[in-house]
Amino acid sequence: MAKKKDKGITFEEGIGQLEQIVRELEQKEVPLEEALNLFRQGIEMVQHCNGLLDHAEKQMEILLEGPDGELEVRPADFAVEG
């Protein structure tokens, strides 16, 4: 699997690459060095995708009614489980 710079990879492309890495790791005859390299790439891709999700969450806003009855925009605050 060719290593691409993470910066230009979309979330969907990252998930696709993770799926490919998993398929390759599931092969029983992957040499140890290659398996370790694939695992490292997978961890890096998970971190990249997580960063994209964090960035998207920060960009989301919720429109709520304030105490005075006026609508106001607030940053979204999503509880993260796990």
Side-chain angles (χ1 to χ4, degrees):
M1 171 176 219
K3 175 98 167 108
K4 235 166 108 172
K5 288 254 185 210
D6 288 348
K7 289 187 177 196
I9 297 174
T10 66
F11 179 78
E12 292 78 10
E13 291 170 334
I15 294 298
Q17 287 187 16
L18 282 169
E19 290 171 346
Q20 178 61 35
I21 289 169
V22 169
R23 281 192 295 273
E24 290 180 38
L25 285 170
E26 287 177 339
Q27 296 175 5
K28 294 182 181 183
E29 296 182 18
V30 177
L32 179 60
E33 282 297 317
E34 184 179 345
L36 290 172
N37 187 42
L38 287 168
F39 183 77
R40 181 189 51 76
Q41 289 177 23
I43 294 297
E44 290 172 359
M45 193 54 56
V46 166
Q47 291 171 340
H48 174 73
C49 289
N50 191 43
L52 291 173
L53 287 174
D54 288 344
H55 181 71
E57 182 178 319
K58 289 176 186 171
Q59 289 183 324
M60 295 179 71
E61 296 178 327
I62 300 174
L63 189 60
L64 300 171
E65 187 175 332
D68 58 358
E70 294 292 317
L71 293 179
E72 56 186 50
V73 177
R74 294 187 194 161
D77 184 24
F78 302 107
V80 178
E81 294 183 18

